[in-house]
Amino acid sequence: MTPSPTTTTTPTTIPALLEHSAREFGGHTYLITPDERLTYQEAEQRSAVAARWLLREGVGKGTRVGLFFANGVDWVIWWLAASRIGALAVPLSTMYTPAELAKVVRLADIGLLVAPDRVLTVDVAERLEAALPGLVDQQTGALVLGTAPYLRRIAITGDTDRRWATRYDEAATASVPPAVLAAVEAEVSAADLAVMVHTSGSAADPKGVIHTHGTLVRQTATWPAAVRVVTGWDGATRVLCAMPFFWVGGLLAVTGALHEPTTVLVLPRLDAETALDMVERERVTGVVGWPAFTQRLREHSTFGRRDLSSAPLLREGPLDIAMTDVPDGYPVHRTMSETAGGFAHTDIAIIGDDGTPVDSGVVGELRIRGVGVMVGYNKRERWETFDEDGWYHTGDLVYRNDGDPRLFYVGRTSELIKAGGANVSPLEVEAVIADFADVTQCIVVGIEDPVRGEEVCAVIVPADTELDVASLASRAREQLSAYKVPTRWAIAASDQIPTLQSGKLNRRALRDLVVDGVLTSVSS
């Protein structure tokens, strides 16, 4: 059964957790980037200033605040600021194309979007104007856009000359005394909504997974201990997080590190040489990321001559940290968006095809419920997400062994593609490519890949006999994040697309035609 939440000694809101960390180990370094460092005390002080500015701008409990930042200090400051006043933080992927960004801003009902003037090489103002038609003609603080009907302000933290932009001014926080912020924080409860993380699902639109403060805080409490286990290091933890903060893996790291003095190192862009420089210089004890990035580190020309003695598993351990000390060759189940990254306060059932629990060592579908599970999906009723007994059916195939609390991941019951650690919805990719004039039909399937887990493969029925795969890939990249763009393409005639007796598409059979070479495929 799920442990009673009343028995925990951990603070149950983000503001309370931040106050605890600043008081107990405030001088410890919390975050390191290639050019910045942030202590817990500094995180508390700087986020207080940003939180008071948000209050001055009318942001309060329940306001949906979009965060469009690369991994770094600013992301942490504004996430903490929004969380401290009870706003619902909505991290936005910096990999979004304009079309994807517009979709999520609308779906999430974002009221205020906060962003710098640049994200890596992206001019943020230009990206937003491309995403939101009509924005260029809007005025500061009074946005009225049919494509994003709840969006009222876009705050730019850097320099900008756009008339529609609200400018962040630290001096303006003087009108909101610290005592008011303290009073606001005291009203934030464990039951209040804290964060909405978007993940691809079985539908074409991304799903907004919503967590309360209580769930997010409880589920991340075991992260520091888990990192020590998978890195094999018992001392002070200094971990390089190679996962974006706008997905659950990165959110788990930045929240988990608030529980214990833990230093998280991040890069705004995943670059192998910069990462190795940081590992060596900062004496990193381990790397948390997907196998593909670890492989890039090991393949770097300087890897062999680096002093990586502080992180022995980076050199000698398995490519995938989820494969650390596994008994049967299957990885430990990784984090889930729907449980905020952990299973500590989660009821777990592993159910077989007959609808009953399976025995130890037997594979079944993972079902979860309890205080460690999401409130639900944005804009979906509870009955659409949970069954009548409160269980969420994950679609993950797992098993457990007697005496071992870990879940071992075997695969998915659904057709969701897991490419390089990211969920890719076939329907979303198909909707984009099928709209091309030279494409009659597009079916997307996942093909097993030794590095990325699965490769996104598009099977195309062309409108003409001649089809330029390079052109298809180029056009897809204009509307889809890079990890969603197919890296393998197969051409088929319409009568080669297999169907079930019901007339529905048989994706498994289609995947087999590609794998077996019946349908010739090429890489892009």
Side-chain angles (χ1 to χ4, degrees):
M1 294 298 293
T2 301
S4 170
T6 60
T7 63
T8 182
T9 59
T10 304
T12 53
T13 68
I14 294 298
L17 184 59
L18 175 62
E19 189 276 333
H20 166 82
S21 62
R23 182 184 68 248
E24 297 297 325
F25 38 87
H28 191 90
T29 302
Y30 172 31
L31 195 74
I32 297 177
T33 75
D35 52 15
E36 288 187 276
R37 305 173 84 87
L38 185 74
T39 68
Y40 289 94
Q41 187 78 51
E42 290 167 341
E44 193 282 330
Q45 294 169 347
R46 292 179 60 179
S47 64
V49 174
R52 289 163 60 197
W53 183 85
L54 289 174
L55 289 172
R56 178 185 179 275
E57 292 297 310
V59 177
K61 183 176 288 191
T63 304
R64 298 186 174 199
V65 178
L67 304 174
F68 190 67
F69 292 91
N71 275 20
V73 168
D74 285 345
W75 192 101
V76 170
I77 295 304
W78 285 98
W79 163 65
L80 289 172
S83 301
R84 291 178 71 166
I85 64 174
L88 176 62
V90 186
L92 299 168
S93 170
T94 56
M95 295 187 286
Y96 282 153
T97 64
E100 292 171 317
L101 182 58
K103 180 186 291 186
V104 174
V105 168
R106 173 179 55 80
L107 289 174
D109 297 328
I110 288 173
L112 168 67
L113 193 156
V114 187
D117 55 331
R118 298 193 69 83
V119 171
L120 301 176
T121 60
V122 173
D123 183 304
V124 171
E126 291 181 359
R127 175 61 54 89
L128 291 172
E129 288 173 348
L132 303 170
L135 177 61
V136 69
D137 298 320
Q138 298 286 308
Q139 296 292 325
T140 299
L143 305 186
V144 182
L145 298 165
T147 53
Y150 282 93
L151 185 64
R152 291 295 171 266
R153 279 159 298 166
I154 298 174
I156 301 296
T157 61
D159 294 331
T160 181
D161 59 357
R162 297 309 204 270
R163 293 183 302 165
W164 47 260
T166 298
R167 290 162 180 79
Y168 172 57
D169 180 8
E170 285 191 15
T173 62
S175 62
V176 180
V180 172
L181 173 59
V184 167
E185 289 181 298
E187 298 302 321
V188 178
S189 75
D192 288 329
L193 302 183
V195 68
M196 183 192 301
V197 179
H198 283 87
T199 178
S200 295
S202 57
D205 289 337
K207 297 180 296 185
V209 180
I210 302 177
H211 286 293
T212 64
H213 280 259
T215 297
L216 181 60
V217 169
R218 292 188 193 98
Q219 294 298 77
T220 57
T222 58
W223 182 82
V227 168
R228 288 194 292 271
V229 170
V230 298
T231 60
W233 190 267
D234 293 329
T237 301
R238 298 173 71 83
V239 62
L240 174 68
C241 176
M243 294 183 172
F245 290 160
F246 51 74
W247 285 337
V248 73
L251 180 64
L252 174 58
V254 79
T255 312
L258 290 173
H259 291 270
E260 297 181 22
T262 304
T263 301
V264 177
L265 294 91
V266 295
L267 303 92
R269 184 203 306 274
L270 291 183
D271 172 73
E273 184 170 3
T274 304
L276 288 169
D277 288 344
M278 294 179 72
V279 170
E280 194 171 22
R281 181 180 66 249
E282 303 292 346
R283 307 304 294 159
V284 165
T285 58
V287 177
V288 177
W290 293 103
F293 185 65
T294 303
Q295 182 65 23
R296 285 170 57 189
L297 297 180
R298 292 180 177 180
E299 291 177 349
H300 194 270
S301 59
T302 67
F303 185 81
R305 60 177 182 267
R306 298 276 188 169
D307 176 7
L308 305 176
S309 56
S310 63
L313 289 184
L314 178 57
R315 190 182 294 280
E316 304 166 1
L319 191 64
D320 185 351
I321 60 173
M323 295 296 291
T324 302
D325 192 29
V326 295
D328 309 310
Y330 287 103
V332 175
H333 194 295
R334 286 182 173 271
T335 58
M336 288 186 66
S337 297
E338 287 80 4
T339 62
F343 292 108
H345 295 273
T346 306
D347 290 336
I348 290 173
I350 304 176
I351 305 299
D353 293 338
D354 62 356
T356 62
V358 301
D359 294 331
S360 174
V362 177
V363 174
E365 185 198 15
L366 174 64
R367 298 183 187 180
I368 54 175
R369 69 180 180 186
V371 297
V373 177
M374 62 180 173
V375 171
Y377 290 123
N378 184 43
K379 296 186 177 178
R380 292 194 188 182
E381 291 189 87
R382 186 171 178 81
W383 65 264
E384 297 179 87
T385 305
F386 303 99
D387 68 19
E388 59 186 8
D389 295 316
W391 293 102
Y392 171 68
H393 299 216
T394 68
D396 290 349
L397 295 173
V398 303
Y399 68 92
R400 236 176 187 169
N401 292 328
D402 283 336
D404 191 335
R406 297 176 297 174
L407 292 168
F408 297 98
Y409 178 79
V410 175
R412 295 275 305 170
T413 59
S414 71
E415 298 299 338
L416 196 67
I417 300 169
K418 197 83 166 181
N423 288 337
V424 179
S425 166
L427 296 181
E428 181 182 13
V429 181
E430 289 167 5
V432 169
I433 298 174
D435 199 43
F436 297 160
D438 48 353
V439 174
T440 297
Q441 186 178 10
C442 172
I443 305 100
V444 173
V445 295
I447 304 296
E448 186 174 350
D449 183 84
V451 175
R452 294 180 57 79
E454 285 186 292
E455 185 178 26
V456 181
C457 174
V459 179
I460 304 296
V461 177
D464 302 307
T465 55
E466 296 291 329
L467 197 64
D468 185 349
V469 168
S471 173
L472 289 177
S474 176
R475 282 176 279 161
R477 278 191 288 271
E478 294 176 0
Q479 300 186 53
L480 295 167
S481 296
Y483 68 90
K484 299 176 186 177
V485 176
T487 53
R488 183 164 295 279
W489 302 77
I491 309 301
S494 58
D495 59 3
Q496 291 179 292
I497 304 299
T499 58
L500 300 169
Q501 288 185 344
S502 63
K504 294 181 178 179
L505 176 67
N506 189 339
R507 290 181 182 270
R508 180 172 298 179
L510 181 61
R511 183 188 301 112
D512 290 343
L513 291 178
V514 176
V515 172
D516 295 339
V518 176
L519 293 177
T520 302
S521 62
V522 296
S523 298
S524 65

